[in-house]
Amino acid sequence: MTLRRLSRRDLDEISIFLHNTVSEYILQRVPRKEIVDLDVSVRVEYDDELSVDISAEVYLDELSDADPSIVDEAVDLAYERLEDLLEDYRE
């Protein structure tokens, strides 16, 4: 199945969903007091096909023992959940 024509609103909803998925994953696993900064960037474009780019960086307090690879896990999860979300946008 192919995706229906996506509107700007659809793309915004997808972007927000992905951003929240990454942020929530990290914030559920790392105490807020250990996070100095969390930067999540999502780029979603649609011409003839959907293009999605998710990047994230977490800057941890120097005393934090959280594993920085949590960022990769969060991004991977967002891409996995994107597949489920796209079911709502299929023709």
Side-chain angles (χ1 to χ4, degrees), residues 6-89:
L6 300 177
S7 68
R8 181 75 245 158
R9 182 175 177 191
D10 295 332
L11 297 177
D12 288 344
E13 287 174 0
I14 292 168
S15 179
I16 290 167
F17 172 82
L18 295 171
H19 183 279
N20 290 344
T21 299
V22 171
S23 298
E24 289 170 8
Y25 183 89
I26 292 169
L27 292 172
Q28 289 174 353
R29 287 157 181 80
V30 179
R32 286 185 188 267
K33 66 182 181 181
E34 294 182 16
I35 297 175
V36 175
D37 191 22
L38 174 60
D39 182 30
V40 179
S41 174
V42 179
R43 183 186 53 79
V44 179
E45 296 177 351
Y46 181 77
D47 288 317
D48 292 331
E49 61 182 44
L50 186 65
S51 172
V52 176
D53 182 42
I54 306 169
S55 63
E57 292 184 65
V58 64
Y59 300 93
L60 300 170
D61 180 87
E62 61 188 35
L63 300 176
S64 174
D65 61 350
D67 187 345
S69 70
I70 195 166
V71 172
D72 295 330
E73 294 171 17
V75 170
D76 290 343
L77 176 67
Y79 279 117
E80 287 174 25
R81 294 214 174 136
L82 174 61
E83 290 301 317
D84 295 333
L85 178 68
L86 290 179
E87 287 301 318
D88 296 336
Y89 296 97

